[in-house]
Amino acid sequence: MTATGASEGVGARGAPVGNGPWWWARRRSAVLDVFLAAASAVECVVEGVGFAHEAQVPELLGMLLGLLAGPVLLVRRRWPVVVVLVSIAVMPAEMGGLLSVVGLYTLAASDVPRRITALLAGMTVTGTLVTTFLSLREDVATQQDFHPPMWFVPLMALAVGLVLTAPPVLWGLYIAARRRLVESLRERADGLERELSLLADRAEERAEWARNEERTRIAREMHDVVAHRVSLMVVHAAALQAVALKDPEKASKNAGLVGDMGRQALTELREMLGVLRTAEGAAGRGAPASGAPERLAAVASQAGAKATVQARVPAPSAGGGPASAPSGGSASVAVSGSGSGSAAGDADAEGPSLTELADLVGQSRAAGMVIELMVDGAAEEEPDAGRRYAARVERTVYRVVQEALTNVHKHAPGARARVRLAHRDGELAVQVENGPSEGGAADAGLPSGGNGLVGMRERVTALGGVFVSGPTEAGGFRVSAVLPAARPVIG
């Protein structure tokens, strides 16, 4: 609404114009204004006749003035200032009581600046005060037997002026304040709804990101545990084929190893798939399944550890089995950060540890690989005294060595490998390096998905480490990383 009181596209209650005829927001508002305009016209016509008698002018002129002034209420929602000015203009004729009251209310309830409202309200009070004072003084003068005090007429004129002006103005101000409050609350509600919608979208994005992370974690665990076991099975099967006719006793031994590893791989797969099916069933029933990835990691780690112990072979199998060192077979890891970041304490507690590295190396040695394990810097505790580092640290080191040896079997058959574990001041490092593949060694023919080095890098960097891999000058391959080591959490 402009300073003149013209409404700009909104009705009296702030509703958009267009639902009702012309400038009315609703048909009900139009009907109310028509009724008020008709009542005001009748009042002004009647009062115009009385004014014509007092002013000694034709009655038709007084009635015409009333017909012109009264219907102005039709535009009170569009131009409230005009209505109030018309009511002030006809005050000397002592007409337009309803016009003045409704006009002041509409003006106070509109968006007209408050200084204009105060000015017009003051003019209305002054006009009412003057006309009432003159009318009362004339009436008192005509009554010979009535002699009121001198303050009576001014006081009554002031009272009439306030009574006819203050209530509509105050009520209009109250309605305007309430309307602004409602609009403010509505805007806040709309803002909160938009914010909630954004939060819901972000929560969905975070949930999708978390699902992708857990899928990657599950795939990494299954790859590390199962791929290593299957790779050894293929290597032993190749050795079995090579010595089947020459050395039946050695062939029988290799066949037993293949069977044991196959059963271990099936057991691990069955346990992992069982966890996944349990999680899917819980999700279908509406039960929370957020712990499924951690349970799966725990199962994978525990199964791998059990399989490592069960697969201990005191004597290496015949040298007929192809050995291989990962073409990315060296890995050096040092891990930092507190073990408190673990997603599940059970998974950490059940994972493989550094004490099982010798068994892991022994499995590859049993498959025919020439491999050497070196430990630099003796641990402060005995091997069986428990973990020296946080469980996530030791599990990551174990997985890196496991994947590196798997790559040796896949990509560097017959190559020599060396695993080096270094306990440093505040650091833990591990390196797996292989030489070039022997020319006469047969390729194991194992498929590769290219996820081995990626998985090792993800594991190390997730704990704050730096992972480096690349070929050596001798034609082999080395992967290394060094990180600050975290101590185990006790209690």
Side-chain angles (χ1 to χ4, degrees):
M1 182 173 291
T2 65
T4 62
S7 176
E8 296 179 341
V10 293
R13 295 185 178 273
V17 176
N19 295 333
W22 294 336
W23 52 82
W24 286 286
R26 297 183 293 265
R27 294 185 181 276
R28 184 177 63 183
S29 301
V31 172
L32 176 61
D33 286 356
V34 169
F35 173 77
L36 290 176
S40 177
V42 172
E43 178 196 10
C44 291
V45 167
V46 172
E47 293 174 343
V49 173
F51 168 73
H53 288 163
E54 293 180 3
Q56 297 180 356
V57 296
E59 291 184 1
L60 183 60
L61 184 59
M63 295 175 63
L64 181 60
L65 179 61
L67 285 176
L68 291 176
V72 174
L73 282 178
L74 282 173
V75 297
R76 71 183 184 93
R77 299 178 190 268
R78 185 68 172 174
W79 296 293
V81 172
V82 174
V83 176
V84 176
L85 289 176
V86 171
S87 68
I88 294 174
V90 299
M91 276 185 184
E94 298 183 357
M95 66 172 60
L98 180 62
L99 179 67
S100 177
V101 170
V102 176
L104 286 174
Y105 163 77
T106 306
L107 179 68
S110 68
D111 295 331
V112 174
R114 289 294 168 251
R115 63 179 184 277
I116 298 179
T117 302
L119 176 62
L120 294 177
M123 292 172 61
T124 303
V125 171
T126 303
T128 305
L129 179 62
V130 171
T131 55
T132 304
F133 177 80
L134 295 177
S135 177
L136 285 177
R137 190 177 66 175
E138 183 179 352
D139 291 342
V140 169
T142 57
Q143 296 182 12
Q144 300 296 333
D145 55 348
F146 183 62
H147 301 284
M150 294 183 60
W151 53 264
F152 177 76
V153 174
L155 182 61
M156 291 300 296
L158 180 61
V160 172
L162 293 177
V163 167
L164 294 179
T165 305
V169 172
L170 294 177
W171 183 252
L173 292 175
Y174 165 73
I175 293 299
R178 189 181 68 173
R179 185 183 304 141
R180 286 193 295 270
L181 176 61
V182 171
E183 291 175 355
S184 174
L185 293 176
R186 184 181 294 111
E187 291 176 358
R188 289 182 61 185
D190 294 341
L192 289 175
E193 185 177 357
R194 288 191 295 270
E195 290 180 6
L196 289 175
S197 178
L198 290 175
L199 289 176
D201 294 340
R202 292 175 182 174
E204 181 62 27
E205 292 176 0
R206 287 195 297 269
E208 182 64 26
W209 176 84
R211 286 193 290 268
N212 291 335
E213 287 293 316
E214 294 304 339
R215 289 191 192 101
T216 303
R217 179 180 176 183
I218 292 170
R220 188 164 57 237
E221 291 291 340
M222 296 183 70
H223 174 273
D224 291 346
V225 173
V226 178
H228 179 73
R229 195 79 59 223
V230 174
S231 298
L232 292 179
M233 289 174 57
V234 174
V235 170
H236 280 295
L240 175 63
Q241 184 179 10
V243 301
L245 299 178
K246 300 178 182 179
D247 193 342
E249 183 180 352
K250 190 178 297 183
S252 176
K253 183 178 180 180
N254 285 341
L257 289 175
V258 171
D260 291 341
M261 291 183 180
R263 283 187 289 273
Q264 292 164 11
L266 288 175
T267 300
E268 294 164 12
L269 281 175
R270 187 179 300 110
E271 291 178 354
M272 292 180 186
L273 294 177
V275 171
L276 289 177
R277 290 194 184 98
T278 302
E280 292 174 358
R285 294 189 301 272
S290 58
E294 287 76 9
R295 290 176 56 200
L296 183 60
V299 168
S301 300
Q302 186 179 20
K306 289 180 179 178
T308 299
V309 175
Q310 293 173 1
R312 291 182 182 177
V313 180
S317 65
S324 73
S327 93
S330 129
S332 170
V333 177
V335 186
S336 159
S338 68
S340 61
S342 172
D346 292 342
D348 284 346
E350 296 174 351
S353 63
L354 295 180
T355 58
E356 300 171 20
L357 281 179
D359 299 325
L360 182 64
V361 171
Q363 293 178 23
S364 294
R365 186 177 290 122
M369 179 188 296
V370 179
I371 183 172
E372 179 184 5
L373 175 62
M374 301 174 59
V375 179
D376 296 337
E380 296 176 3
E381 296 86 356
E382 294 298 325
D384 296 334
R387 298 183 186 272
R388 180 183 179 187
Y389 303 98
R392 297 181 68 189
V393 173
E394 299 196 7
R395 184 172 67 238
T396 300
V397 171
Y398 183 92
R399 293 302 185 200
V400 168
V401 175
Q402 183 183 54
E403 179 59 29
L405 294 179
T406 301
N407 288 341
V408 173
H409 289 295
K410 286 182 180 180
H411 307 297
R416 292 176 176 269
R418 180 175 61 184
V419 179
R420 182 178 178 183
L421 181 67
H423 300 274
R424 300 174 183 168
D425 219 3
E427 291 181 349
L428 175 63
V430 62
Q431 184 181 84
V432 181
E433 181 177 355
N434 64 274
S437 177
E438 292 184 358
D443 191 349
L446 293 170
S448 175
N451 297 319
L453 293 177
V454 174
M456 286 190 282
R457 184 181 302 277
E458 289 176 351
R459 286 183 179 276
V460 173
T461 56
L463 296 178
V466 178
F467 186 83
V468 180
S469 62
T472 63
E473 296 180 356
F477 204 86
R478 180 191 304 118
V479 179
S480 60
V482 177
L483 297 171
R487 297 298 177 181
V489 177
I490 302 175

